[in-house]
Amino acid sequence: MHRTVVKPGVDEELDNMKRTYDGSEDLLSKTSQSIAENVPRQYSLDLNVIFFPQIGFLISMKRDPGTGGVNYEGPGTDNGKWDRIFSTGDRVYYKDFRMRELDGTLGDMYAMICDKEIEIIYHLGQEILQYEAMLTKASDLCGELDSFLALARGAAMYKLSRPQMTEENVIRIKGGRHPLQELTVPSYVANDTFIIGGEGTSGRCSGGVERLPAPAMTASYGIDGQPSMLIMTGPNYSGKSVHIKQVALVVYMAHVGCFVPADAAIIGLTDKILTRIATKETITRVQSAFTIDLQQVYKAVHLATRRSLVIIDEFGKGTDSNDGAGLACGLFEHFLSLDVERPKVLGATHFHEIFENGFLLPRPQLAFGHMEVRIDMEAETAEDQVTYLYK
């Protein structure tokens, strides 16, 4: 059991008790020698004097292995009588007049020391509580300062830049990076992002600020206008998921007051980041991966506002491909149908039929993108035929 120990010099009475307790080992040794002088020589080597909390000082004698009894239990006189207190498997414990004298002199010294230390700590706590408000405020300030220092050091180490927060319902990122992914690769290809959410019923962005003009980066998506949804496709390992996740991370980091992994970023106030990214299956929940996907999408549909950022990665792949493509299209159409209340949506999908069959009609609020790859049909091996550009 752990307990609080008071250092020497705090309380004189406690120091005296500790000195007495520390010297008790020598006292027990001398007492044991004194008793052993009056015990037959053949039994004296088995005699000890020990201390038990709450019981006090006791004479300890070893049992005879052959008989299980004790060969010597005191001189038998009234003055020197040994009273048996208790016994264990191999020893028996007694009290005589000397043990009772020790009990009266030293008592339960260890318990007294513990009680005294508890009393001192209690009074110390009461004194500290008088300054509770001041100490709590100081602790909060130290924690806040520590957070600022950690964010500042991280910004310098990982080349983060200061984002511009705005009331406009927009996410505009120039040269965005994934802060963890770039630590695992020799070089990282940065990407731009521009999406803008619904204007709301006022016809303007929140705060009465006019909508931003579309930047040149929208040309890379092959569209004109101000999209609120970007749907991306591309081969496996081409960087789709990393791209949409890095946008969510940039938005989150900006909102907690951190510099962001980008050359520049304008981040509109965002109330939620809703995702359908990872399917976490567990034996404790009798649910399929597809059911878990639907639950995640259900929350996104019902909680999203025009100020929300929705990340949809490979939704619909847990069922038949035709059904999955239909579900994905239905989800994207739902968000687009919200008109001025539509959230900002980034999606990644492998359902090429969405693009080939024109299931989602082009409109200013919708942008399509793909991750670029370089194909060299003259390469000798299949691995060398495809080069991912991560753009």
Side-chain angles (χ1 to χ4, degrees), residues 297-347:
V297 168
Y298 169 83
K299 292 181 180 179
V301 168
H302 284 268
L303 296 177
T305 70
R306 69 185 187 91
R307 283 288 182 182
S308 301
L309 172 62
V310 182
I311 306 295
I312 305 295
D313 189 12
E314 303 294 350
F315 173 62
K317 67 179 181 180
T319 184
D320 178 79
S321 59
N322 291 328
D323 295 338
L327 285 169
C329 283
L331 177 63
F332 295 139
E333 281 288 358
H334 167 76
F335 286 128
L336 289 170
S337 69
L338 297 178
D339 196 23
V340 295
E341 295 299 327
R342 63 188 180 276
K344 302 175 286 292
V345 180
L346 293 175

Side-chain angles (χ1 to χ4, degrees), residues 10 96 162:
V10 174
D96 70 348
R162 179 181 178 180

Side-chain angles (χ1 to χ4, degrees), residues 68-80:
V70 179
N71 295 320
Y72 184 81
E73 294 186 293
T77 62
D78 292 338
N79 189 35

Side-chain angles (χ1 to χ4, degrees), residues 3-4 6 113-123:
R3 66 182 184 90
T4 303
V6 178
I113 291 173
C114 293
D115 291 343
K116 186 64 177 179
E117 288 181 326
I118 292 173
E119 179 184 347
I120 293 172
I121 296 301
Y122 173 78
H123 288 300

Side-chain angles (χ1 to χ4, degrees), residues 229-232 325-337 347 349 351-363 366-368:
M229 179 181 294
L230 170 63
I231 301 178
M232 303 173 57
L327 285 169
C329 283
L331 177 63
F332 295 139
E333 281 288 358
H334 167 76
F335 286 128
L336 289 170
S337 69
T349 181
F351 292 124
H352 298 284
E353 52 264 49
I354 294 177
F355 309 97
E356 295 170 354
N357 300 320
F359 290 155
L360 290 174
L361 298 178
R363 67 205 82 175
L366 174 62
F368 296 106

